[in-house]
Amino acid sequence: MKSPVVKRSIVIAGHKTSVSLEDAFWKGLKEIAGGRDMTLSELVAAIDSDRQHGNLSSAIRLFVLDFYRNQLSDDKDGRNDAHEIVASRAVPNA
């Protein structure tokens, strides 16, 4: 199912701006902000101040993607992933 793009207004460093993101990215961004005990505006302001180029919507998408990629990477470092276990069983012993 396709995730619709949602346009929301947000205040960043005292300035109101609008950001268009797919609903899944808004949800991820809210989860990250909550986990860091930050408001959505504070997190977006931090992303905005760190971005090198590109528009804010793209910077937010990349931030959310990197956050969850890092979580997966951390999980793999700490334990065997179910996909790795299944893959190892599927490869016959040589």
Side-chain angles (χ1 to χ4, degrees):
M1 188 162 128
K2 192 170 133 182
S3 181
V5 175
V6 179
K7 188 175 190 175
R8 297 193 179 156
S9 294
I10 192 164
V11 177
I12 302 172
H15 295 83
K16 191 174 182 181
T17 189
S18 59
V19 179
S20 296
L21 295 171
E22 292 77 9
D23 194 49
F25 284 102
W26 281 118
K27 287 179 183 177
L29 196 60
K30 287 178 187 177
E31 284 178 5
I32 297 166
R36 294 183 177 188
D37 205 24
M38 300 172 79
T39 66
L40 194 63
S41 292
E42 290 169 338
L43 182 56
V44 172
I47 294 167
D48 186 41
S49 68
D50 287 345
R51 71 182 162 123
Q52 306 279 322
H53 47 75
N55 64 42
L56 182 56
S57 294
S58 293
I60 292 170
R61 286 184 188 96
L62 291 172
F63 173 84
V64 171
L65 176 64
D66 285 344
F67 177 85
Y68 287 109
R69 279 178 141 173
N70 288 335
Q71 269 194 345
L72 285 173
S73 177
D74 291 347
D75 285 348
K76 282 186 178 182
D77 291 342
R79 61 175 174 77
N80 282 335
D81 186 74
H83 293 288
E84 291 174 4
I85 294 168
V86 171
S88 69
R89 290 180 184 163
V91 177
N93 292 337

